[in-house]
Amino acid sequence: MHILLAAGAFNSLTQRVHAELRDRGHSVAVELVLPGTSLTEAVERHRPDLVLAPMLKTAIPREVYSAHTCLIVHPGPVGDRGPSSLDWALTENATRWGVTVLQAGEEMDAGDVWATADCPLPPVAKSDAYRGEIADAALSAVLTAVDRFASGPYAPQQQRTGRPRPYLRQELRRIDWEHDSTERVVRALRAADSQPGVLDELLGAPWFLHGGHPEDALRGRPGELLATRAGAICRATTDGAVWIPELRARRTPGEPAPVKLPATLALGDRLPPLPELPAPPYDAGAGEGPRTWSDIIYRERGGAGFLTFSFPGGAMSTDHCRRLLAAYREACTRPVSLLVLGGGRDFFSNGIHLGVIEASADPAEESWANINAMDDLVEAVLTTTDRFVVAALGGNAAAGGAMLALAADEVWCRTGVVLNPHYRLMGLYGSEYWTYTLPRRTGTGVAERLTADALPISAESARRLGLVDRTIDCGPQAFADETARLAVRVADSPAVRSRIAGKKARRDADESVRPLAAYREAELARMRETFLDPQAPYHALRRAFVRKEPPERTPAHLARTVAGRRTAPLPVRRPGITGPAEQDRAPGPAGC
């Protein structure tokens, strides 16, 4: 069946739907619904069997939905209506939510229901839930609806009641630092992540606050800044404090859209002298101490070590890379036979931090520093020969972040993960030793196709191609425990020592054929040439990406029809947790 995806952006959910529909044998094309473009003309050009909108905030024209079956993915249960569905759910502290696939019609979100799925809604940020539980539920509902459409006549169920809710405006998100508890503040921040943020006054200027994590030990006057940690600021509430990792300046009319940045970097000279507090040496989420926040955590279980990291949007700045490298080297001193890198529930990594680069005084030099810091980290993983290293992807990975995962001895992926193992869309050749790691896993031909096509692939497709060694079918909240259980079993197995010896022998043999330094030198020569050329497309593409400038038209690689596999389709997985999407406006991979 030929399916046209109509979307406001090629965001994480649209990418996942695109990849998994192709896995099931469908041919798929994408049209971005942009200002000045005609969806009517696009549908006439593609002549699809079905129009599916995984993420769309504008109405489908009558001439389209009256001539074609058009299915809308709404990130709310049956009857829920409005543009801020998931925001309201998190604001109101809902513990369960859902996704509805409904038929487009005259009234937004009021069409007949083709499929629905519910899901738990854990206390995490909106963007995290969107890519996790909501996306799992969306896929379950989408696949059910597509199967029903493909099977012949099906009578969708009419919605008899509705609960229209308005856009969640900033005045309704506002934080009252003099009266709001830590729990209330964190809930407001989570409901606004990653867009639109919570507009607030800080140090005499308006800022959008992005991200929020509770802190129990620090105290101060409500609203006061107490400390910094790894680029985040800690701000007092009435009964504790919160860590805020990122800020974005309010846009000035006529100026480019401001870039979201680590909080201390965004504040710059405005920031008063504050203590830089290191993270505690334990896993704060394990109940071993007061609640606090760290973007890098190390713990051990049995013969396995776990180095978990979580950076906003999966972007890794020069500082992120250097701190993670230091933590990795420290972890490599521990007496464990297996080291798990990652294992969190959201993004694994999307590569270099384009926002920090864009905001720097010299983007070319910061690009160079960032890519070298990424390479240093990848090199450390590649040259670890005294223990077995696993990259555990509970969330998506792209560009240099995907190549960081390939540096490990094995890659374990949650079934809902989407991979974008390419750099082309940001106008870059790429580094992170990809010319060594990608072909050795997939072969040269497949590696060339993946990097040239620049399309997302599902975890299952990645496993078939050799990019992933093991998929783990579980919900986002269960991934850490499932990974830990499996890692301990592997670490304690008698075979792990021979596997470590085998990897060392292979690394030595590869080094004798072509040293790792040669791969790095060749890749970085091309990267530096691009960074230093002010006319290189990379600079304009980076600027458009971080400043949220929409493209003028659908990129050609998305608009073309991509055929699904010609073999028998994979059986439809129905994840144990079900439920779909709203924000996450990224037009593609967030890093390089």
Side-chain angles (χ1 to χ4, degrees):
M1 187 163 64
H2 179 40
I3 301 174
L4 177 65
L5 302 184
F10 198 50
N11 73 337
S12 61
L13 181 60
T14 309
Q15 291 178 35
R16 187 169 170 192
V17 170
H18 187 277
E20 299 219 20
L21 287 176
R22 286 176 9 239
D23 282 355
R24 287 158 177 81
H26 300 290
S27 65
V28 185
V30 178
E31 279 292 333
L32 300 184
V33 181
L34 303 166
T37 63
S38 170
L39 181 59
T40 303
E41 292 178 3
V43 171
E44 290 175 353
R45 185 170 65 254
H46 285 279
R47 301 177 63 186
D49 299 306
L50 175 67
V51 177
L52 178 64
M55 190 284 290
L56 189 61
K57 288 208 164 185
T58 57
I60 291 181
R62 174 190 289 271
E63 58 266 28
V64 174
Y65 71 71
S66 61
H68 300 266
T69 299
C70 301
L71 302 184
I72 309 294
V73 179
H74 175 69
V78 174
D80 177 89
R81 299 174 191 174
S84 300
S85 178
L86 192 52
D87 305 58
W88 280 112
L90 290 166
T91 298
E92 295 172 352
N93 210 24
T95 58
R96 293 198 68 81
W97 203 236
V99 175
T100 307
V101 176
L102 48 88
Q103 192 153 337
E106 193 69 28
E107 184 180 350
M108 293 280 282
D109 303 332
D112 294 347
V113 175
W114 279 75
T116 185
D118 71 344
C119 64
L121 194 58
V124 298
K126 176 177 65 176
S127 57
D128 186 347
Y130 178 91
R131 288 183 288 266
E133 285 81 3
I134 297 297
D136 282 356
L139 253 295
S140 177
V142 163
L143 296 177
T144 298
V146 169
D147 285 349
R148 286 171 174 168
F149 177 81
S151 65
Y154 176 78
Q157 303 301 303
Q158 184 179 2
Q159 291 193 59
R160 301 191 182 281
T161 60
R163 186 190 182 191
R165 294 201 280 190
Y167 176 71
L168 191 55
R169 302 181 308 278
Q170 282 295 338
E171 53 264 36
L172 300 175
R173 299 180 187 271
R174 186 168 296 136
I175 294 171
D176 182 348
W177 293 97
E178 294 293 332
H179 300 95
D180 286 346
S181 65
T182 299
E183 189 274 336
R184 166 68 180 82
V185 172
V186 168
R187 189 150 30 100
L189 291 169
R190 285 173 172 167
D193 179 82
S194 62
Q195 290 293 334
V198 174
L199 183 61
D200 195 30
E201 188 81 12
L202 181 62
L203 301 177
W207 295 92
F208 289 95
L209 315 182
H210 292 274
H213 306 274
E215 166 64 48
D216 287 346
L218 298 179
R219 292 287 191 277
R221 178 174 50 82
E224 179 185 10
L225 295 183
L226 305 176
T228 62
R229 175 182 296 160
I233 54 174
C234 188
R235 196 172 187 185
T237 65
T238 58
D239 60 350
V242 294
W243 289 98
I244 302 170
E246 292 187 309
L247 300 176
R248 177 171 54 90
R250 190 174 188 176
R251 185 171 190 171
T252 302
E255 294 293 321
V259 178
K260 191 191 311 179
L261 294 169
T264 57
L265 181 61
L267 290 171
D269 293 340
R270 291 176 179 268
L271 191 67
L274 294 171
E276 171 74 11
L277 299 183
Y282 53 77
D283 179 356
E288 300 175 23
R291 291 181 305 172
T292 189
W293 165 84
S294 176
D295 54 5
I296 301 173
I297 295 173
Y298 180 77
R299 60 190 173 90
E300 291 179 4
R301 179 173 161 184
F306 301 85
L307 183 60
T308 304
F309 56 95
S310 179
F311 305 127
M316 295 173 63
S317 68
T318 304
D319 177 67
H320 288 134
C321 295
R322 289 172 177 168
R323 289 192 294 107
L324 184 55
L325 175 59
Y328 182 83
R329 286 173 172 162
E330 179 66 23
C332 285
T333 67
R334 299 292 302 163
V336 295
S337 59
L338 186 145
L339 179 60
V340 175
L341 186 62
R345 48 165 289 139
D346 199 10
F347 281 125
F348 178 78
S349 172
N350 283 322
I352 61 177
H353 200 308
L354 300 176
V356 170
I357 291 169
E358 177 67 15
S360 67
D362 189 336
E365 283 306 309
E366 182 56 35
S367 298
W368 182 247
N370 202 164
I371 200 65
N372 272 282
M374 278 291 296
D375 277 12
D376 290 344
L377 175 61
V378 174
E379 181 185 19
V381 178
L382 282 170
T383 56
T384 300
T385 56
D386 63 343
R387 65 200 64 216
F388 203 73
V389 182
V390 170
L393 280 62
N396 301 346
M403 305 312 169
L404 170 61
L406 298 188
D409 303 307
E410 285 194 358
V411 179
W412 299 351
C413 250
R414 194 178 82 83
T415 49
V417 162
V418 174
L419 297 174
N420 277 279
H422 53 80
Y423 302 83
R424 181 170 70 84
L425 301 183
M426 202 51 62
L428 291 172
Y429 178 73
S431 192
E432 293 97 4
Y433 299 88
W434 78 267
T435 53
Y436 169 63
T437 58
L438 187 59
R440 74 172 179 167
R441 277 183 163 268
T442 66
T444 303
V446 173
E448 290 176 351
R449 177 171 61 80
L450 289 172
T451 53
D453 287 352
L455 292 173
I457 57 174
S458 68
E460 180 56 33
S461 285
R463 187 193 63 78
R464 291 197 308 267
L465 294 172
L467 292 171
V468 167
D469 300 282
R470 185 188 298 266
T471 56
I472 299 175
D473 192 3
C474 67
Q477 208 64 345
F479 183 72
D481 286 342
E482 288 295 315
T483 299
R485 178 187 59 77
L486 183 58
V488 170
R489 192 174 74 196
V490 174
D492 294 341
S493 69
V496 72
R497 288 297 166 192
S498 63
R499 297 180 76 179
I500 294 170
K503 70 174 266 188
K504 185 179 188 309
R506 287 190 299 273
R507 175 84 285 281
D508 291 343
D510 287 351
E511 188 72 10
S512 68
V513 174
R514 188 185 184 194
L516 281 178
Y519 290 96
R520 178 169 180 160
E521 182 180 1
E523 292 170 357
L524 286 181
R526 298 185 66 163
M527 293 288 274
R528 187 160 181 79
E529 182 180 355
T530 297
F531 293 156
L532 295 179
D533 178 5
Q535 302 305 316
Y538 159 70
H539 299 288
L541 291 168
R542 181 195 69 240
R543 189 173 306 113
F545 179 84
V546 300
R547 298 191 186 280
K548 309 300 181 188
E549 299 173 4
E552 294 180 358
R553 62 185 67 84
T554 303
H557 77 290
L558 297 182
R560 75 173 187 267
T561 297
V562 182
R565 296 187 310 119
R566 304 244 179 232
T567 56
L570 295 169
V572 175
R573 285 194 306 273
R574 302 210 180 273
I577 43 181
T578 45
E582 183 178 44
Q583 298 292 335
D584 188 18
R585 290 281 176 246
C592 302

